[in-house]
Amino acid sequence: MSFGAIDAWWWPYLFILVAGWLATDSWRFLGVYLGGQLSDDADILVLVRCIATALVAAVIANLIVSPSGALADVPAILRVGAAAAGFVAYLLSGHRILVGILVGEALLLLGIFFAA
């Protein structure tokens, strides 16, 4: 059976639901099962956290350096400055992520508003 075998309006939604569930939840269940037996400071968990953090940093860097859509119209100095200010606010607020995000977004939006 293939994706195009059923020609009903609900088939793509069911296919995405089942395929998405199988692709993600099976790994989550396996991770919970195996991760429950590891200590929080195990080397493998430190590696996984490092890789996850690096992936998030890469996505953010990609949005800053080579954005697409409406963000591409914002000057690069404003994007870099807002990200740097958000990071400084994060550090000064005692490592509160929400503060860093809100400061970075506020500066970006203010810069866009006043530049227009």
Side-chain angles (χ1 to χ4, degrees):
M1 178 184 281
S2 67
F3 174 73
I6 298 176
D7 191 27
W9 67 269
W10 50 266
W11 174 242
Y13 301 107
L14 180 65
F15 186 84
I16 290 170
L17 182 71
V18 171
W21 177 80
L22 287 176
T24 59
D25 280 357
S26 58
W27 291 106
R28 289 179 185 169
F29 293 139
L30 185 62
V32 168
Y33 174 73
L34 295 176
Q37 300 170 1
L38 295 173
S39 68
D40 289 341
D41 58 350
D43 289 340
I44 189 72
L45 288 181
V46 172
L47 175 67
V48 168
R49 279 194 299 265
C50 289
I51 292 172
T53 303
L55 287 172
V56 170
V59 169
I60 292 170
N62 191 26
L63 286 172
I64 293 171
V65 174
S66 59
S68 61
L71 194 58
D73 296 333
V74 177
I77 190 70
L78 180 57
R79 295 190 307 259
V80 172
F87 182 65
V88 168
Y90 162 77
L91 292 176
L92 293 177
S93 68
H95 298 269
R96 292 191 178 103
I97 294 173
L98 185 60
V99 172
I101 291 171
L102 292 177
V103 167
E105 284 185 17
L107 288 177
L108 185 64
L109 291 173
L110 285 172
I112 292 170
F113 178 73
F114 286 119

